[in-house]
Amino acid sequence: MDNDQFDDALLRSAMERAALYGWRRLTVVDAARDAGLSLDVARKRFPFKANILLTLGRLADEAALVDDGSTGTPREKLFDLLMRRIDVFQQYRAGVRAALRALPFDPPLALLLGGATVESMKWMLSAAGLEVGGLAGALRVQALLGAWTVTLRAWDKDDSMDMGTTMATLDKALDKALRFSALPGSKTAGAAEGIGGLDGHDFSTDPSVDLPLEPSA
């Protein structure tokens, strides 16, 4: 079993235990034992319980960033990128929702993951052909973070098979986050969209509804 297979097995076991017993009662040791995994390797690969969620974030980013040759505007690319991240969450839905419920009671974890979410949003913007440096880039990151938070809140409540409510929420959130005019710093030739602001939304992460995630590198 290579490292990727080990991580996947432990993550799946951990999410199943979180769904059954809650995030706060979950331990890496229990997850490893349930999956029949070596405890010494688990200690090396997952030294802290937070690494479970960080691994989930890495897998979500990697899935989003796979180059499938698709083209489109920055907005269209961002929609696809963020929905791919949601698709990974959906595979572990019950466990992820258990973690969401626990975050308000674990401020250090929420803070750690909040910073990781910012890095993930930078990856998504860069993949869509938008600059993330400087003041303009920082505003883009915060606007996309707001759109992600609103979308994740909708996903948490969306029990439909096709995630129609989630997609509609993301579509609307991106409309609010994107200004339909050329912005300096776009790396996509002819791009006519850039990140603007989210009217009426708080750009800070809300640990009670958001699951911040780790960048893929």
Side-chain angles (χ1 to χ4, degrees):
M1 179 181 292
D2 62 24
N3 287 339
D4 287 342
Q5 292 171 327
F6 187 97
D7 291 354
D8 182 70
L10 195 142
L11 173 62
R12 191 165 299 279
S13 177
M15 290 292 97
E16 290 174 355
R17 285 195 67 89
L20 288 173
Y21 306 112
W23 175 260
R24 298 176 72 181
R25 295 180 61 186
L26 169 69
T27 69
V28 175
V29 170
D30 287 338
R33 283 176 172 163
D34 282 357
L37 300 173
S38 170
L39 291 184
D40 63 314
V41 178
R43 176 64 177 85
K44 182 184 299 183
R45 301 289 301 165
F46 293 81
F48 306 102
K49 190 165 75 169
N51 288 104
I52 295 169
L53 297 181
L54 295 176
T55 296
L56 175 61
R58 173 176 58 80
L59 294 176
D61 281 351
E62 289 175 355
L65 294 167
V66 170
D67 185 3
D68 60 0
S70 61
T71 59
T73 65
R75 183 200 182 284
E76 291 168 340
K77 291 178 180 178
L78 286 172
F79 182 91
D80 289 341
L81 288 163
L82 294 184
M83 279 308 303
R84 288 177 190 172
R85 297 187 88 241
I86 290 291
D87 286 341
V88 174
F89 286 9
Q90 186 71 6
Q91 297 176 38
Y92 307 95
R93 180 174 178 81
V96 172
R97 295 183 75 197
L100 290 175
R101 301 295 175 267
L103 281 180
F105 305 100
D106 193 342
L109 177 62
L111 183 62
L112 170 68
L113 299 178
T117 298
V118 171
E119 294 304 314
S120 284
M121 295 302 102
K122 290 179 181 178
W123 275 94
M124 300 303 108
L125 285 164
S126 294
L130 294 166
E131 293 285 357
V132 297
L135 178 59
L139 292 175
R140 293 182 187 121
V141 172
Q142 289 301 309
L144 189 61
L145 182 62
W148 170 254
T149 301
V150 171
T151 302
L152 196 61
R153 182 183 293 119
W155 172 81
D156 182 34
K157 300 176 181 178
D158 186 0
D159 293 323
S160 65
M161 293 296 294
D162 62 0
M163 294 190 291
T165 299
T166 301
M167 289 190 288
T169 300
L170 175 58
D171 193 54
K172 183 177 180 180
L174 286 176
D175 280 342
K176 290 183 178 181
L178 290 163
R179 291 187 289 113
F180 293 96
S181 60
L183 281 183
S186 174
K187 294 182 289 187
T188 303
E193 295 173 291
I195 299 294
L198 272 176
D199 297 335
H201 290 298
D202 181 0
F203 291 156
S204 61
T205 55
D206 180 350
S208 68
V209 296
D210 191 17
L211 179 59
L213 297 170
E214 187 190 43
S216 61

